[in-house]
């Protein structure tokens, strides 16, 4: 019997990967190959992949549950009959965080080992709803009682700063290729890591504020927005991370008993939440209804319409609840009054509370 122990540096990972080519792992390799091809087919049908076969650049081995045995805070993996690998996470930084979690299928690559843990959560159906309108510098939301703004300026500023640094490095690469290429890889990794860190902090902030809620977002087509935008707007759109944020929220939502839903963004900024009138022209910073006179900030008006669009999916009368248009809280007033863009003491009969949150 031969037992090999992998330490935190995974120095034997490449050597061990070459030894997994046995009949025990052929079925898993075939399954992964079909999964890669199916993923490529779906992306190709959507126009997001080129017509050429996908290439696996880094070899990996996925360990089936039948070929691993958990002993305390270590896992023993069968390579061949009577030949094993033992990996322990007792002294790793995540050892306390995964207490109560179940180890699924470890993944071994040439330079590292991935341990995937999961935990069954007792979830209930969230009844509270909060809708967010995605903008360049903020997420503007409405939760049925008040408007909330989550600032994205820190993320936008980070993307802008790193883009300027990369442009300087690219000019250096035209003169000194090797040094410029090395610096370009360095700053690209730095930008990716810092953006991911801020996105996770932002997702945690939203989920802590609205745990046990349904989080409703617009299903934005960023590529289509590039086609309709000018050069200045395209540069600003390239610094947004809406899709990354929604993906992070989706896989973290179950830990906070939340659910993330996306709705069609059509006319959310240009329609009146009170009477349904749709403005045929582009809306400025403030939306003003040409039919009933309802006036509200454009971004909060969009969040209100997203809120209503999600609730319109359900038959509230069958459940004994009022109509979703009344749930939104928009109550007509007698007469009109002037208002500033951010005057939210009382917006046309809608009693609101305005709060701004930033990433800590």
């Amino acid at each position: 019997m031969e037992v090999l122990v992998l330490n935190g540096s995974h120095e034997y990972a490449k050597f061990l990967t070459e030894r997994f080519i046995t009949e025990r792992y052929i079925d898993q390799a075939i399954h992964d190959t079909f999964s890669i091809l199916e993923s490529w087919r779906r992306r190709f049908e959507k126009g997001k992949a080129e017509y050429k076969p996908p290439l696996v650049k880094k070899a990996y081995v996925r360990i089936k549950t039948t070929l691993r045995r958990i002993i305390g805070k270590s896992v023993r993996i069968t390579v061949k009959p009577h030949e094993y690998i033992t990996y322990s996470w007792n002294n790793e930084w995540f050892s306390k965080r995964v207490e109560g979690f179940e180890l699924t299928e470890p993944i071994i690559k040439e330079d590292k080992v991935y341990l995937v843990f999961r935990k069954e959560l007792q979830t209930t159906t969230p009844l509270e709803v909060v809708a967010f309108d995605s903008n360049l510098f903020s997420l503007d939301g409405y939760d049925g009682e008040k408007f909330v703004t989550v600032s994205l300026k820190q993320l936008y500023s980070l993307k802008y700063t790193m883009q300027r640094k990369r442009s300087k490095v690219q000019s250096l690469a035209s003169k000194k290729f090797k040094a410029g290429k090395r610096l370009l890889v360095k700053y690209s990794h730095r930008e990716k890591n810092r953006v991911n860190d801020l996105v996770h902090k932002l997702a945690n902030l939203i989920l802590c504020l609205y745990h046990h809620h349904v989080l409703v977002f617009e299903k934005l087509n960023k590529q289509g927005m590039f086609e309709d935008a000018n050069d200045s707007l395209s540069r600003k759109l390239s610094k947004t991370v809406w899709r990354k944020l929604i993906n992070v929220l989706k896989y973290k939502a179950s830990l906070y008993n939340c659910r993330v839903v996306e709705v069609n963004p059509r006319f959310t900024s240009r329609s009146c939440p009170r009477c349904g009138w749709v403005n045929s022209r582009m809306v400025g910073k403030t939306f003003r209804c040409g039919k009933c006179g309802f006036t509200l900030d454009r971004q909060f008006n969009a969040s209100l319409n997203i809120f209503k669009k999600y609730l319109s999916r359900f038959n509230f009368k069958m459940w004994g609840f009022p109509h979703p248009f009344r749930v939104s809280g928009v109550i007509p007033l007698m007469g009109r009054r002037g208002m500033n863009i951010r005057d939210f003491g009382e917006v046309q009969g809608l009693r609101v509370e305005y709060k701004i949150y930033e990433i800590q």
Side-chain angles (χ1 to χ4, degrees):
M1 181 185 299
E2 182 181 358
V3 178
L4 300 176
V5 180
L6 284 178
N7 56 18
S9 62
H10 318 304
E11 54 188 347
Y12 302 110
K14 183 176 181 179
F15 168 71
L16 294 169
T17 304
E18 298 173 354
R19 303 168 62 180
F20 279 99
I21 310 302
T22 63
E23 63 277 4
R24 293 171 178 260
Y25 294 91
I26 292 298
D27 57 342
Q28 187 65 45
I30 294 173
H31 178 271
D32 289 351
T33 302
F34 273 102
S35 298
I36 294 171
L37 290 173
E38 180 64 20
S39 176
W40 170 81
R41 184 187 66 82
R42 289 196 299 266
R43 289 186 291 111
F44 176 74
E45 290 177 350
K46 295 179 181 179
K48 297 181 179 180
E50 298 180 0
Y51 186 68
K52 59 182 180 181
L55 178 64
V56 179
K57 296 181 180 180
K58 294 184 178 181
Y60 68 93
V61 177
R62 189 187 302 272
I63 310 300
K64 299 188 294 184
T65 56
T66 56
L67 297 176
R68 59 113 174 104
R69 180 182 177 185
I70 301 174
I71 306 172
K73 290 187 176 182
S74 62
V75 56
R76 192 184 72 174
I77 300 171
T78 303
V79 181
K80 297 177 182 179
H82 309 295
E83 184 176 338
Y84 308 97
I85 300 171
T86 302
Y87 181 79
S88 175
W89 63 88
N90 186 31
N91 297 324
E92 300 291 344
W93 63 271
F94 57 84
S95 60
K96 293 184 179 179
R97 295 190 180 186
V98 297
E99 291 181 357
F101 285 71
E102 176 189 3
L103 178 67
T104 57
E105 296 180 344
I107 299 174
I108 297 182
K109 292 189 176 182
E110 294 181 355
D111 56 345
K112 59 183 67 176
V113 177
Y114 293 92
L115 298 179
V116 183
F117 295 87
R118 69 180 179 185
K119 183 179 182 181
E120 294 290 337
L121 299 176
Q122 296 181 355
T123 59
T124 58
T125 303
L127 296 178
E128 301 289 340
V129 180
V130 55
F132 287 99
D133 176 46
S134 302
N135 299 289
L136 290 175
F137 307 112
S138 64
L139 292 176
D140 299 280
Y142 178 69
D143 60 5
E145 295 181 357
K146 60 181 179 297
F147 292 108
V148 175
T149 292
V150 179
S151 177
L152 299 179
K153 288 184 178 180
Q154 192 173 353
L155 266 171
Y156 187 89
S157 176
L158 173 63
K159 297 278 285 186
Y160 177 80
T161 304
M162 298 305 295
Q163 187 179 32
R164 293 195 63 181
K165 287 185 178 180
R166 282 204 313 273
S167 63
K168 293 181 180 179
V169 172
Q170 287 172 352
S171 63
L172 175 64
S174 61
K175 302 176 183 178
K176 299 180 180 179
F177 178 75
K178 291 185 178 180
K181 184 178 180 180
R182 185 172 63 252
L183 287 175
L184 191 61
V185 171
K186 172 185 174 181
Y187 283 112
S188 296
H189 281 289
R190 181 176 296 178
E191 178 185 3
K192 180 180 178 181
N193 293 335
R194 290 183 178 180
V195 168
N196 286 338
D197 179 64
L198 286 177
V199 167
H200 280 268
K201 288 180 179 179
L202 180 62
N204 292 336
L205 171 65
I206 295 173
L207 292 171
C208 288
L209 288 173
Y210 292 104
H211 56 86
H212 198 67
H213 277 66
V214 178
L215 307 177
V216 188
F217 291 88
E218 299 170 293
K219 191 173 184 179
L220 297 172
N221 181 11
K222 192 173 177 179
Q223 193 62 35
M225 297 171 71
F226 280 123
E227 296 175 0
D228 300 333
N230 53 30
D231 293 342
S232 177
L233 183 58
S234 296
R235 285 193 293 269
K236 293 179 180 179
L237 289 174
S238 65
K239 300 179 183 65
T240 59
V241 290
W242 300 323
R243 177 54 48 192
K244 182 186 290 290
L245 175 61
I246 292 175
N247 290 338
V248 171
L249 285 170
K250 281 183 177 179
Y251 85 79
K252 283 191 173 187
S254 59
L255 297 175
Y256 295 84
N257 199 19
C258 294
R259 190 157 60 94
V260 179
V261 179
E262 294 180 90
V263 299
N264 189 352
R266 185 177 176 83
F267 297 141
T268 53
S269 297
R270 294 192 286 168
S271 59
C272 178
R274 179 190 292 170
C275 64
W277 177 80
V278 179
N279 191 348
S280 58
R281 299 178 299 176
M282 293 297 294
V283 181
K285 293 184 178 180
T286 305
F287 171 82
R288 292 181 176 85
C289 179
K291 187 176 180 180
C292 67
F294 179 80
T295 306
L296 186 62
D297 179 79
R298 179 195 65 189
Q299 296 173 184
F300 287 121
N301 182 68
S303 66
L304 195 57
N305 284 316
I306 295 168
F307 184 88
K308 288 176 55 179
K309 186 170 287 192
Y310 172 75
L311 292 181
S312 64
R313 298 180 177 185
F314 307 103
N315 188 352
F316 282 78
K317 293 182 179 179
M318 181 182 67
W319 298 341
F321 290 100
H323 195 273
F325 288 178
R326 293 178 60 189
V327 173
S328 66
V330 180
I331 306 170
L333 280 183
M334 297 298 294
R336 303 180 183 178
R337 71 177 181 89
M339 60 173 290
N340 297 323
I341 294 175
R342 292 286 178 175
D343 178 17
F344 298 119
E346 184 181 11
V347 181
Q348 299 289 33
L350 177 61
R351 192 71 182 180
V352 300
E353 181 182 350
Y354 180 61
K355 294 183 179 180
I356 298 180
Y357 294 94
E358 294 190 4
I359 307 172
Q360 299 297 326

